[in-house]
Amino acid sequence: INSSTDPIDCSIDNGSITISGLNVNSTYIINYDLNGIAVLPVQIPSDATGLLVISNLSQGLYDNITATTPNGCTSNPVGSVQLIDPDAPVIAFEASTNPSGCTIDNGTIVLSGLTAGIAYDVTYILNGFVPISLNLVADVSGLITIPNLSQGNYGNITVSTENGCSSNAIELVLLTDPDTPFIALHSISNPSECTIDDGEITISGLEPNTTYDINYLLNGIVQSTLNLVSDDTGLVTINGLSEGLYENITATTIDGCTSNTVGPVNLADP
């Protein structure tokens, strides 16, 4: 490698790589990889000093550059050469806040390394398949805050300038809803008589002395929501139950966080 020049703008492919050691005023077939992918060969002549300029190049990593003579003799490979667009932002993950409730999309992701007062196009992929783009302005500290976020996996976060210069990517930021209950079946009690609905199902894993909405199916039919308070040990007892098959039992917090499901539970008359 003799020299290289970066593109003068993100939207202009005018970078170049100059290789040396060739015969003067001779034509060569040039092969190279761009970002790990082989590019179609190009035919380029060397100049009067044995230099050869590969021109019209975009930003990227150029590797395995070879020169082949018309009679099939191929040189040693040279590289790597990294061409960089000018003023491309280099961002970093600064901070994040999780949503304050399961039904509230108020999580944030903060990026640093930007120019104060400049608008950027911010893009990311939510949960691996939903691409989202929005325009945000960096604050006086060069920070951008992505607002109004739900729980999920935020990947490939990038920012782009108005002239198309795209930053490096932040691979993954995970936001989680708070205090999602994880419940388990603690105990059951069958009805004491065929005409008495005094069966019970007790679930565990809840916060002590906390109110939950309890939902379940009885024999495949959705039942009315119960508003119950856990005891000092984090147990909730669903009482007044008849015989039947109880399924999809869940507990939901006051901010909308719903637990896993437990069941089926079969209560039987004696």
Side-chain angles (χ1 to χ4, degrees):
I1 300 296
N2 179 265
S3 63
S4 66
T5 58
D6 293 320
I8 62 171
D9 203 335
C10 297
S11 57
I12 301 177
D13 295 342
N14 64 351
S16 67
I17 296 172
T18 302
I19 57 177
S20 61
L22 302 171
N23 292 327
V24 300
N25 302 318
S26 299
T27 299
Y28 292 88
I29 298 172
I30 305 301
N31 288 272
Y32 58 87
D33 295 343
L34 173 58
N35 297 326
I37 300 173
V39 175
L40 290 174
V42 290
Q43 197 172 52
I44 304 174
S46 61
D47 66 13
T49 63
L51 299 178
L52 185 149
V53 179
I54 310 168
S55 58
N56 302 320
L57 301 180
S58 64
Q59 73 164 352
L61 181 66
Y62 293 81
D63 209 350
N64 294 325
I65 305 169
T66 61
T68 302
T69 63
N71 60 3
C73 295
T74 298
S75 72
N76 58 300
V78 294
S80 301
V81 178
Q82 177 79 57
L83 299 187
I84 302 173
D85 284 337
D87 302 321
V90 178
I91 61 173
F93 169 73
E94 182 75 14
S96 66
T97 58
N98 291 314
S100 61
C102 296
T103 58
I104 302 173
D105 295 343
N106 64 352
T108 64
I109 295 173
V110 181
L111 308 175
S112 61
L114 302 164
T115 302
I118 299 298
Y120 295 88
D121 288 328
V122 180
T123 61
Y124 58 87
I125 297 176
L126 176 58
N127 294 326
F129 62 90
V130 181
I132 297 173
S133 180
L134 62 164
N135 189 263
L136 298 172
V137 177
D139 67 14
V140 294
S141 300
L143 302 177
I144 274 184
T145 299
I146 309 172
N148 305 322
L149 302 179
S150 63
Q151 73 165 350
N153 296 315
Y154 292 81
N156 293 326
I157 305 169
T158 62
V159 303
S160 299
T161 62
E162 63 179 4
N163 63 356
C165 290
S166 184
S167 73
N168 57 301
I170 305 299
E171 291 187 5
L172 183 65
V173 178
L174 175 63
L175 299 186
T176 58
D177 283 337
D179 302 322
T180 300
F182 186 83
I183 62 174
L185 178 65
H186 181 264
S187 62
I188 66 172
S189 175
N190 290 312
S192 60
E193 295 290 344
C194 296
T195 58
I196 300 177
D197 295 343
D198 62 353
E200 295 181 346
I201 296 173
T202 300
I203 57 177
S204 61
L206 301 168
E207 292 293 321
N209 306 310
T210 302
T211 300
Y212 294 90
D213 286 335
I214 306 299
N215 289 277
Y216 60 90
L217 304 180
L218 172 56
N219 297 324
I221 299 172
V222 176
Q223 303 298 296
S224 298
T225 299
L226 301 175
N227 191 254
L228 300 176
V229 179
S230 59
D231 66 13
D232 292 341
T233 63
L235 300 178
V236 160
T237 298
I238 311 167
N239 53 28
L241 303 178
S242 63
E243 74 167 348
L245 184 65
Y246 293 81
E247 298 178 282
N248 294 339
I249 304 168
T250 61
T252 301
T253 64
I254 58 173
D255 58 7
C257 295
T258 298
S259 72
N260 58 302
T261 61
V262 297
V265 176
N266 191 45
L267 298 187
D269 283 339

